[in-house]
């Protein structure tokens, strides 16, 4: 077994939790096997949490929001874990992770655990690794877990499948006005927050608030939940208690209507499917992307007698994945 | 002009190129430096016939310049306790120094008393510790403040420090109107580069307006502000960026005072400037000439009538960033060249750096050489005998004009962003400066920019000399004891009343912070208490971080050394399942983050995952981040001498938390003498200033593999 003390993990030791997350994030095949062992060993532990995602365009004030909300939750006796996903450089694959600079007070609190992860780690198995990290944080006793994603796009759809509440942060009319924002993202949001409702941008925030209130009315949700649209200010320190009340309200709503159970069940199904897809990819990736295969593809293309569709059929036949 | 054509023909032949343009140099300012300038270049230039002391002052702010009185030799100094700094100043004045320039420690800068838990590594280190007016009185003991001018580098805790200076003088029997000198008081550049701020921008500017207002009424001989480009240059800005942003800052302060209802000619003559002087000799001379022209234009636009309002007077300091740890006596030569540029540019006062300042505070020997460098230039050469000796030079006049145009372009960019405050909030100047810094470092690392003794003509010969060591703990003890004494001997009720008045000022904005602080200082309120009274209402400002990448990738494209580094990182990743992960940390009150930003850029370009810590962290906070992020190594950057206290403590905490396998390395301004101590404390690697990124990559991988 791996050099990782499960009891210590359960007791919430930050060092052990941090190393466990490193292990599950590792791309080394041996580490992958080890992490499966750990996940198996903790599968009997039944601990749960309220999982919240915080999404929004860069500069929308997500980190500041997490800092304020996190501190508020600590005051109410919660243990808070934050997972942030940072972009990596397309050239070197390296990254600069500055999340904790913006969550300075929260990151110094003993009952808070913040783990930034570079997206580069997740190629392919992105969502699965985040799910596993959420699970590990729950095992370690964190009862509130926030997932921060940067950018508005693909990741947000994936993150929706692993959390209970989706908070969308929007800065006052800063180019991401509703026209510019993909309507799909609004459909994901369980709560919409207009940030920076202070100082010179206070008026803009009011206007933005009304815009979003109007648009959210047009969105039809199967669960009948009407997503609240609210304004917050980290400068004036307003809106955070109200946000937490709304989040609890939403959780209670999901529990009473049974959608919480249903959603979590559905999320597990997707999780299993994603794991299968990951395995399939891993199995065929080496064959499909090998230098030999590249050479072959070039050769087939250079003959100029077949189109990519026909070539794909031939390749699939060869690697035993008939269409 | 057939003769120029003839020259072109000959030059092309000699140079072995197809055209003379091949001999051009594109400077980092974006200016094309040509190999030859001729009379033809002068024709279009607007200020070519201007004269010294007359608008637009390109050739000098005074009609006589150094012929009547040379520049003031003003050496910046201060360390440990007020007693020791006082002894140093008195000796320097006796040996030819002509004014005092006080360096405060970082605890004082950031508004903390010496006994505050967050400053235990910083007290007395990079300057003198001042907690109360009692310290200030000791600092100026035996120095007549009505005749000796005092310059104070203070930006964060300006209010209590200036108040203490005024009260110390008062108790010496000197009234405010007799005080001469300068307080730096330039907060905008702190938000751009140096990070020694306390309050948010808006409130900080309110304090500056208070000071301009107060000094305009009560201290006619005192410069209320020293608008500084120096720190921008130190942070990596090229001369054009430094010039443009400094003048844009100056314009912002002037507007601020105008908004207060002051008339421009009431305060503008007391605005002074402070520029850095690097090794780009021609460019630096041109910078000062250009600055005067631009300032004259700016002030005229704002309605100034008094010629004194339109003249830019400046202090200069030779570049600390150009000093090297390697082969350090070369620094004496560098400093001399930079000093000459400042003088040819027409500075009003000058600080020359000591050769050991890349690694430590200046010692007695190195300070003497630095001071003598200026005295030799003043008294052994005939440099002072001619006003603006470069005036009329084809090159210099053209370059001055080039810089004016370039600076105007950059200032227009600031205007477009809605003024300097808004540009700072958007991070524009910071980003441009950091980009210039990273590009410069990458060019040095690659060897495109030569630094003798660092990336070319290196020597193995060891140079030994004594350096000044500060016993941080004994300073801390002394200060804590004096604080206790003051607090027991004062009338607590009076103190509280004064502090409440400050807090209510912070809430209402009514009154003048400096007047209120003077009252508080008289009854012995401490620096920390006065800062706190304002902070309790305004809060402590946190800067928005920024980071860059891709710069090393670009400059090092296809460079074999660089590709080798990237390959090693890839190998590491394949073996360990993740990239090497490093937490780059700043601890204590040292806010100089140029170095760490450059290293962050370089390492992430090489493929590392780089975590950045908040500025001003303490060891326990860094340990927590290192553990949660599960980094392989923590890299501590230290520029202000706190390394001996805070780094060992970090290692201790990591071990206590059973995380001793997380390696700790450090870099920055760390004297060789401390290496053994740090190694013994468990530091894995120590990097001097200007270590190339590929070397850092190699050594870190060696360490963590």
């Amino acid at each position: 077994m791996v050099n990782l003390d499960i009891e210590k993990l359960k007791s919430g030791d930050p060092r052990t939790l941090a190393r466990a997350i490193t292990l599950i994030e590792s791309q080394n095949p041996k580490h992958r096997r080890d992490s499966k062992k750990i996940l198996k060993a903790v599968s009997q532990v039944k601990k749960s949490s309220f999982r919240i995602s915080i999404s929004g365009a860069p500069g929308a004030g997500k980190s500041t929001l997490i800092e304020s909300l996190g501190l508020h939750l600590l005051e109410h006796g919660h243990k808070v874990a934050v997972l942030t996903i940072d972009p990596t450089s397309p050239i070197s694959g390296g990254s600069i992770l500055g999340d904790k600079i913006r969550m300075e007070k929260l990151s110094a609190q003993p009952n808070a655990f913040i783990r930034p992860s570079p997206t580069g780690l997740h190629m392919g198995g992105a969502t699965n690794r985040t799910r596993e990290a959420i699970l590990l944080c729950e095992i370690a006793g964190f009862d509130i877990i926030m997932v921060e994603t940067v950018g508005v796009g693909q990741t947000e759809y994936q993150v929706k499948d692993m959390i209970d509440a989706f908070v969308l942060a929007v800065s006052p009319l800063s180019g991401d006005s509703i026209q510019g924002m993909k309507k799909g993202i609004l459909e994901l949001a369980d709560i919409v927050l207009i940030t920076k409702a202070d100082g010179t941008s206070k008026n803009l925030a009011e206007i933005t608030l009304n815009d979003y209130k109007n648009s959210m009315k047009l969105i039809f949700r199967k669960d009948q939940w009407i997503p609240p649209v609210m304004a917050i200010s980290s400068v004036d320190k307003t809106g955070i208690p109200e946000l937490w009340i709304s989040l609890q309200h939403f959780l209670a709503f999901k529990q009473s209507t049974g959608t919480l159970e249903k959603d979590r069940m559905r999320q597990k199904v997707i999780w299993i499917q994603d794991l299968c897809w990951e395995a399939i990819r891993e199995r065929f990736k080496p064959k499909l992307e090998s230098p030999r295969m590249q050479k072959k593809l070039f050769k087939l293309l250079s003959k100029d007698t077949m189109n990519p569709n026909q070539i794909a059929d031939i390749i699939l036949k060869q690697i035993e994945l008939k269409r | 002009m057939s003769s120029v054509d003839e020259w072109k023909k000959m030059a092309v032949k000699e140079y072995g190129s197809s055209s003379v343009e091949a001999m051009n140099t594109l400077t980092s300012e974006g200016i094309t430096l040509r190999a030859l300038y001729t009379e033809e270049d002068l024709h279009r230039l607007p200020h070519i016939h201007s004269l010294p002391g007359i608008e637009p002052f390109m050739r000098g702010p005074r009609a006589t310049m150094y012929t009547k009185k040379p520049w003031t030799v003003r050496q910046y100094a201060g360390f440990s306790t007020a007693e020791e700094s006082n002894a140093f100043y008195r000796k320097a004045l006796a040996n030819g120094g002509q004014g005092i320039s006080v360096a405060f420690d970082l605890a004082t800068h950031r508004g903390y008393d010496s006994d505050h838990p967050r400053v235990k590594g910083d007290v007395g280190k990079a300057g003198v510790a001042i907690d109360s007016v009692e310290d200030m009185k000791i600092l100026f003991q035996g120095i007549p403040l009505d005749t000796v001018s005092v310059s104070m580098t203070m930006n964060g805790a300006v209010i209590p420090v200036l108040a203490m200076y005024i009260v110390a003088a008062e108790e010496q029997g000197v009234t405010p109107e007799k005080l001469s000198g300068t307080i730096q008081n330039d907060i905008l550049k702190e938000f751009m580069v140096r990070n020694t701020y306390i309050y948010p921008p808006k409130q900080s500017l309110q304090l500056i307006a208070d000071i301009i207002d107060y000094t305009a009424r009560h201290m006619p001989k005192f410069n209320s502000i020293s608008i500084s480009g120096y720190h921008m240059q130190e942070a990596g800005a090229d001369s054009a960026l430094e010039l443009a942003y400094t003048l844009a800052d100056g314009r912002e302060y002037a507007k601020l005072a105008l908004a207060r209802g002051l008339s421009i000619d009431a305060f503008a003559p007391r605005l002074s400037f402070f520029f850095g002087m690097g090794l780009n000799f021609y460019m630096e001379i041109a910078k000062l000439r250009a600055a005067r022209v631009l300032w004259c234009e700016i002030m005229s636009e704002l309605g100034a009538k008094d010629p004194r309002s339109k003249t830019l007077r400046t202090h200069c300091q030779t570049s600390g960033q150009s000093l090297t740890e390697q082969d350090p006596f070369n620094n004496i030569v560098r400093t001399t060249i930079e000093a000459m540029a400042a003088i040819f540019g027409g500075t009003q006062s000058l600080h020359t750096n000591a050769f050991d300042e890349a690694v430590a505070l200046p010692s007695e020997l190195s300070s003497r050489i630095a001071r003598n460098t200026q005295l030799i230039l003043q008294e052994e050469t005939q440099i002072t005998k001619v006003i603006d000796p470069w005036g009329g030079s084809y090159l210099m006049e053209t370059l001055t004009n080039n810089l004016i145009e370039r600076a105007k372009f950059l200032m227009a960019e600031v205007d477009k962003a809605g003024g300097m405050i808004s540009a700072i909030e958007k991070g524009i100047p910071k980003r441009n400066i950091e980009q210039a810094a990273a590009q410069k470092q990458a060019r040095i690392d690659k060897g495109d920019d030569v630094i003798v003794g660092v990336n070319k003509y290196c020597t193995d010969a060891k140079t030994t000399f004594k350096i000044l060591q500060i016993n941080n703990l004994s300073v801390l003890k002394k200060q804590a004891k004096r604080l206790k004494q003051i607090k027991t001997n004062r009338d607590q009720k009076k103190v509280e009343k004064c502090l409440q008045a400050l807090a209510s000022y912070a809430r209402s904005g009514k009154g003048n912070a400096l007047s209120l602080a003077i009252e508080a200082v008289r009854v012995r309120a401490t620096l920390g208490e006065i800062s706190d009274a304002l902070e309790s209402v305004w809060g402590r400002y946190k800067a928005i971080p920024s980071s860059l990448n891709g710069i090393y990738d670009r400059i090092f494209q296809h460079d074999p050394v660089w590709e080798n580094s990237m390959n090693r990182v890839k190998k590491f990743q394949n073996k360990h399942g993740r990239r090497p992960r490093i937490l780059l940390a700043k601890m204590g009150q040292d806010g100089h983050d140029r170095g760490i930003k450059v290293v962050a850029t370089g390492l992430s370009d090489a493929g590392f995952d780089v975590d950045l810590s908040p500025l001003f962290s303490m060891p326990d906070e860094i340990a927590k981040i290192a553990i949660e992020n599960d980094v392989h190594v923590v890299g501590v950057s230290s520029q202000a001498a706190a390394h001996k206290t805070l780094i060992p403590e970090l290692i201790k905490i990591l071990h206590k938390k059973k995380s001793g396998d997380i390696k700790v390395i450090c870099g920055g301004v760390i004297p060789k003498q401390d290496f053994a101590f740090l190694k013994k404390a468990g530091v894995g690697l120590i990097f001097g200033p200007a270590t190339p990124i590929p070397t850092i990559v190699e050594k870190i991988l060696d360490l963590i593999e």
Side-chain angles (χ1 to χ4, degrees), chain B residues 66 71 73 75 275-281 284-285 288 316-319 322 331-353 369-378 383 390:
Chain B
Y66 308 144
W71 67 93
V73 179
Q75 298 293 88
F275 287 101
M277 278 292 131
L279 279 163
N280 290 340
F281 191 69
E284 296 296 56
I285 299 171
L288 293 188
C316 284
Q317 179 170 342
T318 57
S319 161
S322 72
N331 294 333
I332 300 175
V333 183
R334 294 191 176 100
T335 298
T336 307
I337 295 166
E338 292 164 349
M340 284 172 68
I343 294 159
F344 287 141
T347 191
Q348 278 56 64
S349 61
L350 179 63
H351 167 104
T352 30
N353 284 328
I369 296 176
R371 185 172 56 238
N372 286 344
T373 303
Q374 291 195 49
L375 295 173
I376 289 167
L377 288 168
Q378 278 190 356
I383 288 176
W390 284 83

Side-chain angles (χ1 to χ4, degrees), chain B residues 376-387:
Chain B
I376 289 167
L377 288 168
Q378 278 190 356
E379 299 185 27
E380 291 187 22
T381 70
Q382 295 198 343
I383 288 176
T384 57
K385 307 294 182 201
V386 179
I387 301 164

Side-chain angles (χ1 to χ4, degrees), chain A residues 8 14-15 18-19 22 25-28 31 88-89 91-98 100-102 104-110 112-118 121, chain B residues 542 545 547-548 553 566 573-579 581 600-601 604-615 621 624-625 627-630 658-659 661-662:
Chain A
K8 265 184 143 174
R15 174 65 164 160
R19 305 196 83 166
T22 302
E25 285 181 345
S26 176
Q27 292 151 322
N28 180 316
H31 294 164
T88 46
S89 150
I91 303 168
S92 67
S95 63
I96 297 181
L97 306 104
K100 293 203 181 179
I101 304 181
R102 276 160 291 178
E104 192 177 339
K105 282 191 192 134
L106 184 62
S107 71
Q109 296 295 322
F113 179 95
I114 305 176
R115 174 64 173 246
S117 295
L121 280 175
Chain B
K542 299 266 188 301
S547 54
L548 299 158
D553 283 341
M566 288 186 75
Q573 186 189 2
N574 290 337
K575 191 170 158 202
H576 297 268
R578 63 168 173 156
R579 299 175 179 285
R581 187 162 182 172
T601 303
S604 77
D605 280 357
F608 276 59
D609 285 328
V610 179
D611 292 278
L612 290 176
S613 83
L615 284 174
E621 294 158 347
K624 186 170 189 277
I625 298 176
I627 289 169
E628 285 178 7
N629 293 15
D630 198 20
K658 306 218 169 0
S659 306
D661 57 313
I662 297 177

Side-chain angles (χ1 to χ4, degrees), chain B residues 34 48 145 153 379 394 574 667:
Chain B
R34 301 204 313 272
I48 187 75
L145 292 175
T153 298
E379 299 185 27
Y394 305 139
N574 290 337

Side-chain angles (χ1 to χ4, degrees), chain B residues 53-116:
Chain B
I54 298 169
E55 270 184 56
F57 307 104
M58 179 176 75
R59 306 199 59 188
R62 304 291 297 269
T64 54
M65 289 305 286
Y66 308 144
T67 57
K68 182 168 177 246
K69 183 180 168 285
W71 67 93
T72 307
V73 179
R74 189 189 294 283
Q75 298 293 88
Y76 178 54
F79 49 88
S80 78
T81 59
E83 286 89 346
E84 289 195 44
S85 292
N86 174 261
F88 184 92
Y89 297 149
R90 288 162 76 161
K91 201 165 173 183
L93 287 172
N95 289 332
Q98 296 155 356
I100 293 177
S101 176
V102 183
F104 296 95
D105 72 357
L106 287 165
T108 307
H109 273 291
R110 299 260 300 146
Y112 293 115
D113 281 340
S114 299
D115 58 359
H116 194 284

